[in-house]
Amino acid sequence: MTKQQFLNELNRLLVQIPEGERKDILSDYESHIDSAIENGKTEEEAVADLGTPKTIADELGVFVPTDKISGSKKEATTNVGPNIFAFLGMLLFNLIFIIGPVVGIAGAFIGLYAAAFACLITPIGFIINLFTHDTPILLAFFFILATFSFGYLFLLLTNFLAKWFLKIIHWYWKLNVKIVKGGY
């Protein structure tokens, strides 16, 4: 392996280390190779004396999965400890602060749908009332028209609000998943 191949491979394996620190490490290894070459070793011997880039990355405490070395594009497994703590923290937060209001708002939507449905079926009762009692036809017509229209508009508004509520819940779910996976 040549000096450039060694440094490129080491740089790729140390990608988890901040760039400034990584450049310092690469510079140190480059100077080790250069000094070994000045002392009479060939480039390949100088590189071989340092060990493999994977061994160096392991010694530096960088987790290097086997897939990363072979060049596979498979996603590497990360340290799950922080993810577990993030999951437990999000679970506790959601149980205390989120579940109650979400259940309350869902109950309010059930009530809104029930009210819209009641407004939609009220005209049926009023039509039955027309045949059993002496009610002016014009009054009945406008009452039926008004309650049915109000019920229909109320149903449309409730559907619109419910869609936004579900979009917000979906966004919040994705945020929780991203936090637990370590994206934030």
Side-chain angles (χ1 to χ4, degrees), residues 80-92 179-180:
V80 295
N83 294 4
I84 291 172
F85 284 119
F87 171 76
L88 293 175
M90 291 304 296
L91 178 67
L92 185 64
I179 289 172
V180 168

Side-chain angles (χ1 to χ4, degrees), residues 3 6-7 10 23-39 46 50:
K3 174 176 122 176
F6 175 86
L7 293 174
L10 186 59
K23 283 183 179 179
D24 289 342
I25 292 169
L26 291 171
S27 174
D28 287 344
Y29 279 98
E30 186 174 17
S31 65
H32 283 297
I33 294 170
D34 289 341
S35 75
I37 291 171
E38 288 174 7
N39 291 333
L50 294 175

Side-chain angles (χ1 to χ4, degrees), residues 77-99:
T77 307
T78 58
N79 187 1
V80 295
N83 294 4
I84 291 172
F85 284 119
F87 171 76
L88 293 175
M90 291 304 296
L91 178 67
L92 185 64
F93 176 80
N94 288 332
L95 285 175
I96 294 172
F97 296 109
I98 303 300
I99 295 295

Side-chain angles (χ1 to χ4, degrees), residues 6-84:
F6 175 86
L7 293 174
N8 288 342
E9 181 69 13
L10 186 59
N11 184 42
R12 191 175 64 78
L13 293 174
L14 299 179
V15 74
Q16 297 173 359
I17 295 178
E19 187 176 348
E21 190 176 337
R22 188 172 65 235
K23 283 183 179 179
D24 289 342
I25 292 169
L26 291 171
S27 174
D28 287 344
Y29 279 98
E30 186 174 17
S31 65
H32 283 297
I33 294 170
D34 289 341
S35 75
I37 291 171
E38 288 174 7
N39 291 333
K41 291 188 176 184
T42 66
E43 186 176 71
E44 287 77 18
E45 290 174 337
V47 168
D49 287 345
L50 294 175
T52 66
K54 182 185 180 335
T55 307
I56 294 168
D58 287 341
E59 289 173 358
L60 292 171
V62 176
F63 176 73
V64 181
T66 313
D67 296 338
K68 202 74 151 158
I69 294 168
S70 66
S72 170
K73 296 208 177 196
K74 227 178 185 181
E75 195 169 309
T77 307
T78 58
N79 187 1
V80 295
N83 294 4
I84 291 172

